[in-house]
Coordinates of all heavy atoms in Angstrom, one line a residue:
M1 N 23.0 -4.9 -14.7 CA 24.0 -5.7 -14.2 C 23.5 -6.3 -12.8 O 22.8 -5.5 -12.1 CB 25.3 -5.0 -14.0 CG 26.4 -5.9 -13.7 SD 28.1 -5.1 -13.5 CE 28.1 -4.0 -14.9
N2 N 23.7 -7.4 -12.5 CA 23.3 -8.0 -11.2 C 24.0 -7.3 -10.0 O 25.1 -6.9 -10.0 CB 23.7 -9.5 -11.2 CG 23.2 -10.3 -10.1 OD1 22.8 -9.7 -9.0 ND2 23.2 -11.6 -10.2
A3 N 23.2 -7.1 -9.0 CA 23.7 -6.4 -7.8 C 24.9 -7.0 -7.2 O 25.7 -6.4 -6.6 CB 22.6 -6.1 -6.8
N4 N 24.8 -8.5 -7.1 CA 26.0 -9.2 -6.6 C 27.2 -8.9 -7.4 O 28.4 -8.9 -6.7 CB 25.6 -10.7 -6.5 CG 24.5 -11.0 -5.5 OD1 24.4 -10.3 -4.6 ND2 23.8 -12.1 -5.8
V5 N 27.1 -8.8 -8.6 CA 28.3 -8.6 -9.5 C 28.8 -7.2 -9.2 O 30.1 -7.0 -9.1 CB 27.9 -8.8 -11.0 CG1 29.2 -8.4 -11.9 CG2 27.5 -10.3 -11.3
E6 N 28.0 -6.3 -9.2 CA 28.4 -4.9 -8.9 C 29.1 -4.8 -7.5 O 30.1 -4.2 -7.4 CB 27.2 -3.9 -8.9 CG 26.7 -3.7 -10.3 CD 25.6 -2.7 -10.3 OE1 25.3 -2.0 -9.2 OE2 24.9 -2.5 -11.3
K7 N 28.6 -5.5 -6.5 CA 29.2 -5.5 -5.2 C 30.6 -6.1 -5.2 O 31.5 -5.6 -4.6 CB 28.3 -6.2 -4.2 CG 28.8 -6.2 -2.8 CD 27.8 -7.0 -1.9 CE 28.4 -7.1 -0.5 NZ 27.6 -8.0 0.4
R8 N 30.7 -7.2 -6.0 CA 31.9 -8.0 -6.1 C 33.0 -7.1 -6.8 O 34.1 -7.0 -6.4 CB 31.7 -9.2 -6.9 CG 33.0 -10.1 -7.0 CD 32.7 -11.3 -7.8 NE 32.6 -10.9 -9.3 CZ 32.0 -11.6 -10.1 NH1 31.4 -12.8 -9.9 NH2 31.8 -11.2 -11.4
C9 N 32.6 -6.4 -7.8 CA 33.5 -5.5 -8.6 C 34.1 -4.5 -7.6 O 35.3 -4.2 -7.6 CB 32.8 -4.8 -9.7 SG 32.3 -6.0 -11.0
I10 N 33.2 -3.9 -6.8 CA 33.6 -2.8 -5.9 C 34.5 -3.4 -4.8 O 35.5 -2.8 -4.5 CB 32.4 -2.1 -5.3 CG1 31.6 -1.3 -6.4 CG2 32.7 -1.2 -4.1 CD1 30.4 -0.7 -6.0
E11 N 34.1 -4.5 -4.2 CA 35.0 -5.1 -3.2 C 36.3 -5.5 -3.8 O 37.4 -5.2 -3.1 CB 34.4 -6.4 -2.8 CG 33.1 -6.1 -1.8 CD 32.4 -7.4 -1.4 OE1 32.8 -8.5 -1.8 OE2 31.5 -7.3 -0.6
I12 N 36.5 -6.0 -5.0 CA 37.8 -6.4 -5.6 C 38.5 -5.1 -5.9 O 39.7 -5.1 -5.6 CB 37.5 -7.2 -6.8 CG1 36.8 -8.5 -6.5 CG2 38.8 -7.4 -7.6 CD1 36.5 -9.3 -7.7
G13 N 37.9 -4.1 -6.4 CA 38.5 -2.8 -6.7 C 39.1 -2.2 -5.5 O 40.3 -1.8 -5.5
E14 N 38.3 -2.2 -4.5 CA 38.8 -1.6 -3.1 C 40.0 -2.4 -2.6 O 41.0 -1.9 -2.1 CB 37.7 -1.5 -2.1 CG 36.7 -0.5 -2.5 CD 35.5 -0.5 -1.6 OE1 35.3 -1.5 -0.8 OE2 34.7 0.6 -1.6
Y15 N 40.0 -3.8 -2.7 CA 41.0 -4.6 -2.2 C 42.3 -4.3 -3.0 O 43.4 -4.2 -2.4 CB 40.6 -6.0 -2.3 CG 41.7 -7.0 -2.0 CD1 41.9 -7.2 -0.6 CD2 42.5 -7.7 -2.9 CE1 43.0 -8.1 -0.2 CE2 43.4 -8.6 -2.5 CZ 43.7 -8.7 -1.1 OH 44.8 -9.6 -0.8
I16 N 42.2 -4.3 -4.3 CA 43.4 -4.0 -5.2 C 44.0 -2.7 -4.9 O 45.2 -2.4 -4.7 CB 43.1 -4.2 -6.6 CG1 42.9 -5.7 -6.9 CG2 44.2 -3.6 -7.5 CD1 42.4 -6.0 -8.3
R17 N 43.1 -1.6 -4.7 CA 43.5 -0.3 -4.5 C 44.2 -0.2 -3.1 O 45.2 0.4 -3.0 CB 42.4 0.7 -4.5 CG 42.7 2.1 -4.1 CD 41.5 3.0 -3.8 NE 40.9 2.4 -2.5 CZ 39.6 2.7 -2.3 NH1 38.8 3.5 -3.0 NH2 39.0 2.2 -1.2
D18 N 43.7 -0.8 -2.1 CA 44.2 -0.7 -0.7 C 45.4 -1.6 -0.5 O 46.3 -1.2 0.3 CB 43.2 -1.1 0.3 CG 41.9 -0.2 0.2 OD1 42.1 1.0 -0.3 OD2 40.9 -0.6 0.7
T19 N 45.6 -2.7 -1.1 CA 46.7 -3.6 -0.9 C 47.7 -3.6 -2.0 O 48.9 -4.1 -1.8 CB 46.2 -5.1 -0.7 OG1 45.6 -5.5 -1.9 CG2 45.3 -5.1 0.4
G20 N 47.4 -3.1 -3.2 CA 48.3 -3.2 -4.3 C 48.4 -4.6 -4.9 O 49.5 -4.9 -5.5
A21 N 47.4 -5.4 -4.6 CA 47.5 -6.8 -5.0 C 47.5 -7.0 -6.6 O 46.9 -6.1 -7.3 CB 46.3 -7.6 -4.5
T22 N 48.0 -8.1 -7.0 CA 48.0 -8.4 -8.5 C 46.6 -9.0 -8.7 O 45.8 -9.4 -7.8 CB 49.1 -9.4 -8.9 OG1 48.8 -10.7 -8.2 CG2 50.4 -8.8 -8.5
V23 N 46.2 -9.2 -10.0 CA 45.0 -9.8 -10.3 C 44.9 -11.3 -9.9 O 43.9 -11.7 -9.3 CB 44.8 -9.7 -11.9 CG1 43.6 -10.7 -12.3 CG2 44.7 -8.3 -12.4
R24 N 46.1 -12.0 -9.9 CA 46.1 -13.4 -9.4 C 45.8 -13.4 -8.0 O 45.2 -14.3 -7.4 CB 47.4 -14.0 -9.8 CG 47.6 -14.4 -11.2 CD 49.0 -15.0 -11.5 NE 49.2 -15.2 -12.9 CZ 49.2 -16.4 -13.5 NH1 48.9 -17.5 -12.8 NH2 49.4 -16.5 -14.8
Q25 N 46.6 -12.5 -7.2 CA 46.3 -12.5 -5.8 C 44.9 -12.2 -5.4 O 44.3 -12.8 -4.5 CB 47.4 -11.5 -5.1 CG 48.8 -11.8 -5.3 CD 49.7 -10.7 -4.9 OE1 49.3 -9.5 -5.0 NE2 51.0 -11.0 -4.5
A26 N 44.3 -11.2 -6.0 CA 42.9 -10.8 -5.8 C 42.0 -12.1 -6.1 O 41.1 -12.3 -5.3 CB 42.5 -9.7 -6.6
G27 N 42.3 -12.8 -7.2 CA 41.5 -13.9 -7.5 C 41.5 -14.9 -6.4 O 40.6 -15.7 -6.1
A28 N 42.8 -15.2 -5.9 CA 42.9 -16.2 -4.8 C 42.2 -15.8 -3.6 O 41.6 -16.7 -3.0 CB 44.4 -16.4 -4.6
V29 N 42.2 -14.6 -3.2 CA 41.5 -14.0 -2.1 C 40.0 -14.2 -2.1 O 39.3 -14.6 -1.2 CB 41.9 -12.6 -1.7 CG1 41.0 -12.0 -0.7 CG2 43.3 -12.5 -1.3
F30 N 39.5 -13.8 -3.3 CA 38.0 -13.9 -3.6 C 37.5 -15.1 -4.1 O 36.3 -15.4 -4.3 CB 37.6 -12.7 -4.5 CG 37.7 -11.3 -3.8 CD1 38.9 -10.6 -3.9 CD2 36.6 -10.9 -3.0 CE1 39.0 -9.3 -3.3 CE2 36.8 -9.6 -2.5 CZ 37.9 -8.9 -2.6
G31 N 38.3 -16.1 -4.4 CA 38.0 -17.5 -4.9 C 37.4 -17.4 -6.2 O 36.5 -18.2 -6.5
I32 N 37.9 -16.6 -7.1 CA 37.4 -16.5 -8.5 C 38.7 -16.5 -9.4 O 39.9 -16.3 -9.0 CB 36.5 -15.3 -8.8 CG1 37.2 -14.0 -8.4 CG2 35.3 -15.5 -8.1 CD1 36.5 -12.8 -8.7
S33 N 38.4 -16.7 -10.7 CA 39.6 -16.8 -11.7 C 40.2 -15.4 -11.9 O 39.5 -14.4 -11.7 CB 39.2 -17.5 -12.9 OG 38.4 -16.5 -13.6
K34 N 41.4 -15.4 -12.3 CA 42.1 -14.1 -12.7 C 41.4 -13.5 -13.8 O 41.3 -12.2 -13.9 CB 43.6 -14.3 -12.9 CG 43.9 -15.2 -14.1 CD 45.4 -15.3 -14.2 CE 45.9 -16.1 -15.4 NZ 45.9 -15.4 -16.7
S35 N 40.8 -14.3 -14.8 CA 40.1 -13.7 -15.8 C 38.9 -12.9 -15.4 O 38.6 -11.8 -15.9 CB 39.7 -14.7 -16.8 OG 40.8 -15.4 -17.3
T36 N 38.1 -13.4 -14.4 CA 37.0 -12.8 -13.9 C 37.4 -11.5 -13.2 O 36.7 -10.4 -13.3 CB 36.2 -13.7 -12.9 OG1 35.9 -14.9 -13.7 CG2 35.0 -13.0 -12.4
V37 N 38.5 -11.6 -12.4 CA 39.0 -10.3 -11.7 C 39.3 -9.3 -12.7 O 38.9 -8.1 -12.5 CB 40.2 -10.7 -10.8 CG1 40.8 -9.4 -10.2 CG2 39.8 -11.7 -9.7
H38 N 40.0 -9.7 -13.7 CA 40.4 -8.7 -14.7 C 39.2 -8.0 -15.4 O 39.1 -6.8 -15.6 CB 41.3 -9.4 -15.8 CG 42.0 -8.4 -16.7 ND1 41.4 -8.1 -17.9 CD2 43.1 -7.7 -16.6 CE1 42.2 -7.2 -18.5 NE2 43.2 -7.0 -17.7
I39 N 38.2 -8.8 -15.8 CA 37.0 -8.3 -16.4 C 36.3 -7.3 -15.4 O 35.8 -6.3 -15.9 CB 36.1 -9.4 -16.9 CG1 36.6 -10.1 -18.0 CG2 34.7 -8.8 -17.3 CD1 36.0 -11.3 -18.6
D40 N 36.2 -7.8 -14.2 CA 35.4 -7.0 -13.1 C 36.1 -5.7 -13.0 O 35.4 -4.7 -12.9 CB 35.4 -7.8 -11.9 CG 34.4 -8.8 -11.8 OD1 33.6 -9.0 -12.7 OD2 34.4 -9.6 -10.8
V41 N 37.5 -5.6 -12.9 CA 38.1 -4.3 -12.6 C 38.5 -3.5 -13.8 O 38.8 -2.3 -13.6 CB 39.4 -4.5 -11.7 CG1 39.0 -5.2 -10.4 CG2 40.5 -5.3 -12.4
T42 N 38.4 -4.1 -15.0 CA 38.7 -3.2 -16.1 C 37.5 -2.8 -17.0 O 37.4 -1.6 -17.5 CB 39.6 -4.0 -17.1 OG1 39.0 -5.2 -17.4 CG2 41.0 -4.2 -16.4
K43 N 36.5 -3.7 -17.0 CA 35.3 -3.4 -17.8 C 34.1 -3.0 -17.0 O 33.5 -1.9 -17.2 CB 34.9 -4.5 -18.8 CG 36.0 -4.8 -19.8 CD 35.6 -5.9 -20.7 CE 36.7 -6.0 -21.8 NZ 36.5 -7.1 -22.7
R44 N 33.7 -3.8 -16.0 CA 32.6 -3.6 -15.3 C 32.7 -2.5 -14.3 O 31.8 -1.7 -14.1 CB 32.2 -4.9 -14.5 CG 31.7 -6.0 -15.4 CD 31.4 -7.3 -14.7 NE 31.0 -8.3 -15.6 CZ 31.3 -9.6 -15.4 NH1 31.9 -10.0 -14.4 NH2 30.9 -10.5 -16.3
L45 N 33.9 -2.4 -13.7 CA 34.1 -1.3 -12.7 C 34.0 0.1 -13.3 O 33.6 1.0 -12.7 CB 35.4 -1.5 -11.9 CG 35.7 -0.6 -10.7 CD1 34.6 -0.9 -9.7 CD2 37.1 -1.0 -10.2
Y46 N 34.5 0.2 -14.6 CA 34.4 1.5 -15.3 C 33.0 1.9 -15.3 O 32.7 3.1 -15.2 CB 34.9 1.2 -16.7 CG 35.0 2.5 -17.5 CD1 36.0 3.4 -17.4 CD2 34.0 2.8 -18.4 CE1 36.0 4.6 -18.0 CE2 34.0 4.0 -19.1 CZ 35.1 4.9 -19.0 OH 35.1 6.1 -19.7
E47 N 32.0 1.1 -15.5 CA 30.6 1.5 -15.6 C 30.0 1.7 -14.2 O 29.0 2.5 -14.1 CB 29.8 0.4 -16.3 CG 30.2 0.1 -17.7 CD 29.6 -1.1 -18.3 OE1 28.7 -1.7 -17.5 OE2 29.9 -1.5 -19.4
I48 N 30.6 1.2 -13.2 CA 30.1 1.2 -11.9 C 30.5 2.5 -11.1 O 29.8 3.3 -10.6 CB 30.3 0.0 -11.0 CG1 29.6 -1.2 -11.7 CG2 29.8 0.2 -9.6 CD1 30.0 -2.5 -11.2
D49 N 31.9 2.6 -11.1 CA 32.6 3.6 -10.3 C 33.8 4.1 -10.9 O 34.9 3.4 -10.8 CB 32.9 3.1 -8.9 CG 33.4 4.2 -7.9 OD1 33.8 5.2 -8.3 OD2 33.4 3.9 -6.7
K50 N 33.8 5.2 -11.7 CA 34.9 5.7 -12.5 C 36.0 6.1 -11.6 O 37.2 5.8 -12.0 CB 34.3 6.8 -13.3 CG 35.4 7.5 -14.2 CD 35.7 6.7 -15.4 CE 36.5 7.5 -16.4 NZ 37.9 7.2 -16.4
T51 N 35.8 6.6 -10.5 CA 36.9 7.1 -9.6 C 37.7 5.9 -9.1 O 39.0 5.9 -9.1 CB 36.4 7.9 -8.4 OG1 35.6 9.0 -8.9 CG2 37.5 8.4 -7.6
L52 N 37.0 4.9 -8.6 CA 37.7 3.7 -8.2 C 38.3 3.0 -9.4 O 39.4 2.5 -9.2 CB 36.7 2.7 -7.5 CG 37.2 1.4 -7.0 CD1 38.2 1.7 -5.9 CD2 36.0 0.6 -6.4
Y53 N 37.7 3.0 -10.5 CA 38.4 2.4 -11.7 C 39.8 3.1 -12.0 O 40.8 2.4 -12.3 CB 37.5 2.5 -12.9 CG 38.1 2.3 -14.2 CD1 38.3 0.9 -14.6 CD2 38.7 3.3 -15.0 CE1 38.9 0.7 -15.8 CE2 39.3 3.0 -16.2 CZ 39.5 1.7 -16.6 OH 40.1 1.4 -17.7
D54 N 39.7 4.4 -11.9 CA 41.0 5.1 -12.1 C 42.1 4.7 -11.2 O 43.3 4.5 -11.5 CB 40.8 6.6 -12.1 CG 40.0 7.1 -13.2 OD1 39.9 6.4 -14.4 OD2 39.3 8.2 -13.2
E55 N 41.7 4.6 -9.9 CA 42.7 4.2 -8.9 C 43.2 2.9 -9.0 O 44.4 2.6 -8.9 CB 42.1 4.4 -7.5 CG 41.7 5.8 -7.1 CD 40.8 5.9 -5.8 OE1 40.3 4.9 -5.4 OE2 40.6 7.0 -5.4
V56 N 42.3 1.8 -9.4 CA 42.7 0.5 -9.6 C 43.6 0.4 -10.9 O 44.6 -0.4 -11.0 CB 41.5 -0.4 -9.8 CG1 41.9 -1.8 -10.2 CG2 40.7 -0.5 -8.5
A57 N 43.2 1.2 -11.9 CA 44.0 1.1 -13.1 C 45.5 1.6 -12.9 O 46.4 1.0 -13.5 CB 43.4 2.0 -14.2
K58 N 45.7 2.5 -11.9 CA 47.1 2.9 -11.7 C 47.8 1.7 -11.0 O 49.0 1.5 -11.3 CB 47.0 4.1 -10.7 CG 46.6 5.5 -11.4 CD 46.6 6.5 -10.3 CE 46.2 7.7 -11.0 NZ 46.0 8.9 -10.0
V59 N 47.2 1.1 -10.1 CA 47.9 -0.1 -9.4 C 48.1 -1.2 -10.4 O 49.2 -1.8 -10.4 CB 46.9 -0.7 -8.2 CG1 47.5 -1.9 -7.7 CG2 46.7 0.4 -7.2
L60 N 47.2 -1.5 -11.3 CA 47.4 -2.5 -12.3 C 48.5 -2.2 -13.2 O 49.3 -3.0 -13.6 CB 46.1 -2.8 -13.1 CG 45.0 -3.4 -12.3 CD1 43.8 -3.6 -13.3 CD2 45.4 -4.7 -11.7
Q61 N 48.7 -0.9 -13.6 CA 49.8 -0.4 -14.4 C 51.1 -0.6 -13.7 O 52.1 -1.0 -14.3 CB 49.5 1.0 -14.8 CG 50.4 1.5 -15.9 CD 50.3 0.7 -17.2 OE1 49.2 0.3 -17.6 NE2 51.4 0.5 -17.9
E62 N 51.2 -0.3 -12.5 CA 52.4 -0.5 -11.7 C 52.8 -2.0 -11.6 O 53.9 -2.3 -11.8 CB 52.2 0.1 -10.2 CG 52.2 1.6 -10.2 CD 51.9 2.0 -8.8 OE1 52.0 1.2 -7.8 OE2 51.5 3.2 -8.5
N63 N 51.8 -2.8 -11.4 CA 52.0 -4.3 -11.3 C 52.6 -4.7 -12.7 O 53.4 -5.6 -12.7 CB 50.7 -5.0 -10.9 CG 50.4 -4.8 -9.5 OD1 51.2 -4.5 -8.7 ND2 49.2 -5.1 -9.2
K64 N 52.0 -4.3 -13.7 CA 52.4 -4.6 -15.1 C 53.9 -4.2 -15.3 O 54.7 -5.0 -15.9 CB 51.5 -4.0 -16.1 CG 51.8 -4.6 -17.6 CD 50.8 -4.0 -18.5 CE 51.0 -4.6 -19.9 NZ 50.2 -4.1 -20.9
A65 N 54.2 -3.1 -14.9 CA 55.6 -2.6 -15.0 C 56.6 -3.3 -14.3 O 57.8 -3.5 -14.7 CB 55.6 -1.0 -14.7
E66 N 56.2 -3.8 -13.2 CA 57.1 -4.6 -12.2 C 57.1 -6.1 -12.5 O 57.8 -6.8 -11.9 CB 56.7 -4.4 -10.8 CG 56.8 -2.9 -10.3 CD 56.2 -2.7 -9.0 OE1 55.5 -3.6 -8.4 OE2 56.3 -1.6 -8.5
R67 N 56.2 -6.5 -13.4 CA 56.0 -8.0 -13.6 C 57.3 -8.7 -14.0 O 57.6 -9.8 -13.5 CB 55.0 -8.2 -14.8 CG 54.7 -9.6 -15.1 CD 53.5 -9.7 -15.9 NE 53.6 -8.8 -17.1 CZ 52.6 -8.6 -18.0 NH1 51.5 -9.0 -17.8 NH2 52.8 -7.8 -19.0
H68 N 58.1 -8.1 -14.9 CA 59.4 -8.7 -15.3 C 60.4 -8.9 -14.1 O 61.2 -9.8 -14.1 CB 60.0 -8.0 -16.5 CG 60.6 -6.7 -16.1 ND1 59.7 -5.6 -15.9 CD2 61.8 -6.3 -16.0 CE1 60.6 -4.5 -15.6 NE2 61.8 -4.9 -15.6
I69 N 60.3 -8.0 -13.2 CA 61.2 -8.1 -12.1 C 60.8 -9.2 -11.2 O 61.7 -10.0 -10.7 CB 61.2 -6.8 -11.3 CG1 61.8 -5.6 -12.1 CG2 62.0 -6.9 -9.9 CD1 61.6 -4.3 -11.5
R70 N 59.5 -9.3 -10.9 CA 59.1 -10.5 -10.1 C 59.3 -11.8 -10.7 O 59.7 -12.8 -10.1 CB 57.5 -10.3 -9.9 CG 57.2 -9.3 -8.9 CD 55.7 -9.4 -8.4 NE 54.7 -9.3 -9.6 CZ 54.2 -8.2 -10.0 NH1 54.6 -7.1 -9.5 NH2 53.4 -8.2 -11.0
G71 N 59.2 -11.9 -12.0 CA 59.5 -13.1 -12.8 C 61.0 -13.5 -12.7 O 61.3 -14.7 -12.5
G72 N 61.8 -12.5 -12.8 CA 63.2 -12.7 -12.6 C 63.7 -13.2 -11.3 O 64.5 -14.1 -11.1
N73 N 63.0 -12.6 -10.3 CA 63.3 -13.0 -8.9 C 62.8 -14.4 -8.6 O 63.5 -15.2 -7.9 CB 62.7 -12.0 -7.9 CG 63.3 -10.7 -7.9 OD1 64.5 -10.6 -8.2 ND2 62.6 -9.7 -7.4
A74 N 61.7 -14.8 -9.2 CA 61.3 -16.1 -9.0 C 62.1 -17.2 -9.6 O 62.3 -18.2 -9.1 CB 59.8 -16.3 -9.6
T75 N 62.7 -16.9 -10.9 CA 63.5 -17.7 -11.5 C 64.8 -17.8 -10.7 O 65.4 -18.9 -10.6 CB 63.9 -17.2 -13.0 OG1 62.6 -17.1 -13.6 CG2 64.8 -18.1 -13.7
K76 N 65.3 -16.8 -10.2 CA 66.5 -16.8 -9.4 C 66.4 -17.7 -8.2 O 67.2 -18.5 -7.8 CB 66.9 -15.3 -9.0 CG 68.2 -15.2 -8.2 CD 68.5 -13.8 -7.8 CE 69.7 -13.7 -6.9 NZ 70.0 -12.4 -6.5
K77 N 65.2 -17.5 -7.5 CA 64.9 -18.3 -6.3 C 64.9 -19.8 -6.7 O 65.3 -20.7 -6.0 CB 63.6 -17.9 -5.7 CG 63.3 -18.5 -4.5 CD 62.0 -18.0 -3.9 CE 61.5 -18.8 -2.6 NZ 60.3 -18.4 -2.1
K78 N 64.3 -20.0 -7.9 CA 64.1 -21.5 -8.3 C 65.4 -22.1 -8.4 O 65.6 -23.3 -8.0 CB 63.3 -21.5 -9.6 CG 63.1 -22.9 -10.1 CD 62.3 -22.9 -11.4 CE 62.3 -24.2 -12.0 NZ 61.5 -24.2 -13.3
Y79 N 66.3 -21.5 -9.1 CA 67.6 -22.1 -9.4 C 68.7 -21.9 -8.4 O 69.8 -22.5 -8.5 CB 68.1 -21.5 -10.8 CG 67.2 -22.2 -11.9 CD1 66.3 -21.3 -12.6 CD2 67.3 -23.5 -12.3 CE1 65.5 -21.8 -13.6 CE2 66.6 -24.0 -13.3 CZ 65.7 -23.2 -14.0 OH 64.9 -23.7 -14.9
S80 N 68.4 -21.1 -7.4 CA 69.5 -20.9 -6.3 C 69.6 -22.1 -5.5 O 70.7 -22.3 -4.9 CB 69.1 -19.6 -5.5 OG 67.9 -20.0 -4.7
G81 N 68.7 -23.0 -5.4 CA 68.9 -24.3 -4.7 C 69.5 -25.3 -5.4 O 70.0 -26.3 -4.8
Y82 N 69.8 -25.1 -6.6 CA 70.6 -26.2 -7.4 C 72.0 -26.1 -7.1 O 72.6 -25.1 -6.9 CB 70.3 -26.0 -8.8 CG 68.9 -26.4 -9.4 CD1 67.9 -25.5 -9.6 CD2 68.6 -27.8 -9.5 CE1 66.7 -25.8 -10.0 CE2 67.3 -28.1 -10.0 CZ 66.4 -27.0 -10.2 OH 65.1 -27.5 -10.6
K83 N 72.7 -27.3 -7.1 CA 74.1 -27.4 -6.8 C 74.9 -27.0 -8.1 O 74.5 -27.5 -9.1 CB 74.4 -28.9 -6.4 CG 75.7 -29.1 -5.8 CD 75.8 -30.4 -5.4 CE 76.9 -30.7 -4.4 NZ 77.1 -32.1 -4.0
K84 N 75.8 -26.2 -7.9 CA 76.7 -25.8 -9.0 C 77.8 -26.8 -9.2 O 78.4 -27.3 -8.2 CB 77.3 -24.4 -8.9 CG 76.4 -23.3 -8.9 CD 76.9 -22.0 -8.8 CE 75.9 -20.9 -8.8 NZ 76.4 -19.6 -8.7
N85 N 78.1 -27.2 -10.4 CA 79.2 -28.2 -10.8 C 80.4 -27.5 -11.2 O 80.5 -26.6 -11.9 CB 78.6 -29.2 -11.8 CG 77.5 -30.1 -11.3 OD1 77.5 -30.3 -10.1 ND2 76.8 -30.6 -12.2

């Protein structure tokens, strides 16, 4: 694996672990797609640093469990500005 890719995987993993960021948020920060972030922290990071992978996997699992709540809040916010008839 390319050294730049390994470095990127570790940087993204540390960022997600330290901030609790979602895959989309990490992609925005690092300027790459969410698909690339997901591959980096689920497949490549496992081969590079198992301990960091385990820590990131916990954060990703928490984010997945809370996803429906964030979606509901976003929908509520979207429609709260509409006038009721």
Side-chain angles (χ1 to χ4, degrees):
M1 193 178 315
N2 188 341
N4 291 335
V5 174
E6 289 183 9
K7 182 180 175 188
R8 182 183 71 205
C9 292
I10 292 171
E11 288 177 356
I12 294 171
E14 289 173 345
Y15 177 77
I16 290 175
R17 177 194 62 198
D18 296 341
T19 63
T22 64
V23 171
R24 286 179 188 254
Q25 291 168 338
V29 169
F30 288 92
I32 55 178
S33 71
K34 65 183 180 83
S35 300
T36 303
V37 172
H38 191 265
I39 290 171
D40 283 352
V41 298
T42 57
K43 294 183 180 178
R44 294 180 180 142
L45 191 59
Y46 182 82
E47 298 172 4
I48 298 168
D49 187 345
K50 179 76 165 97
T51 305
L52 181 58
Y53 167 83
D54 290 337
E55 294 169 351
V56 170
K58 288 180 185 177
V59 173
L60 294 178
Q61 189 63 32
E62 289 174 14
N63 288 340
K64 186 175 181 182
E66 296 169 352
R67 182 172 50 194
H68 69 285
I69 296 170
R70 286 192 303 271
N73 288 339
T75 302
K76 180 179 178 182
K77 181 179 176 183
K78 177 181 177 181
Y79 289 105
S80 66
Y82 289 99
K83 192 177 199 180
K84 293 185 179 181
N85 291 335

